[in-house]
């Protein structure tokens, strides 16, 4: 299914940038299973926190492609409410 423009605006930039990058460069085994280098993840996080859209094609990120997937996982882990909300947990399980 294709997202409409109004739906795309609801997707945080960090997820949009990271998933587009992974779809283009990160089709490797374990992209979300393996962790990236912690310092690279933090650097990437800082760039997004500074309201910049980092250049994910820099060598540092291309060579450690798992740091981009790790940042996505970190984003979801730190959400105040999980994607599968507490209120709907029973229905999901």
């Amino acid at each position: 299914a294709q997202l409409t423009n109004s739906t795309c605006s609801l997707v945080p930039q960090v997820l949009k940038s990271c998933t587009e990058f992974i779809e283009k460069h990160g089709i490797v085994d374990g992209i979300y299973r393996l962790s990236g280098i912690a310092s690279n993840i933090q650097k990437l996080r800082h760039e997004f926190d500074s309201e910049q859209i980092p250049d994910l094609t820099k060598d540092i990120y291309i060579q450690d492609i798992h740091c981009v997937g790790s940042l996505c996982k970190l984003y979801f882990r730190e959400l105040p409410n999980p994607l599968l909300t507490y209120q709907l947990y029973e229905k999901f399980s």
Side-chain angles (χ1 to χ4, degrees):
Q2 195 172 41
L3 298 176
T4 64
N5 286 338
S6 61
T7 305
C8 286
S9 64
L10 299 175
V11 177
Q13 186 63 50
V14 63
L15 293 180
K16 187 175 179 183
S17 294
C18 289
T19 54
E20 287 173 0
F21 176 78
I22 288 169
E23 286 180 16
K24 188 172 184 179
H25 301 282
I27 306 302
V28 296
D29 287 341
I31 186 64
Y32 293 106
R33 184 177 49 82
L34 299 175
S35 293
I37 298 169
S39 59
N40 292 345
I41 299 166
Q42 291 307 317
K43 179 179 177 163
L44 189 55
R45 179 183 184 170
H46 177 71
E47 289 187 46
F48 277 109
D49 286 346
S50 300
E51 297 187 14
Q52 301 174 32
I53 300 175
D55 177 8
L56 295 176
T57 62
K58 288 181 185 174
D59 283 347
I60 189 172
Y61 303 130
I62 293 285
Q63 292 173 3
D64 181 23
I65 199 158
H66 295 287
C67 75
V68 179
S70 294
L71 184 65
C72 286
K73 293 189 302 186
L74 179 63
Y75 178 86
F76 286 116
R77 241 189 337 270
E78 292 185 349
L79 286 174
N81 292 308
L83 288 179
L84 306 177
T85 63
Y86 296 119
Q87 294 85 358
L88 297 175
Y89 182 77
E90 290 298 320
K91 289 182 182 180
F92 289 125
S93 61

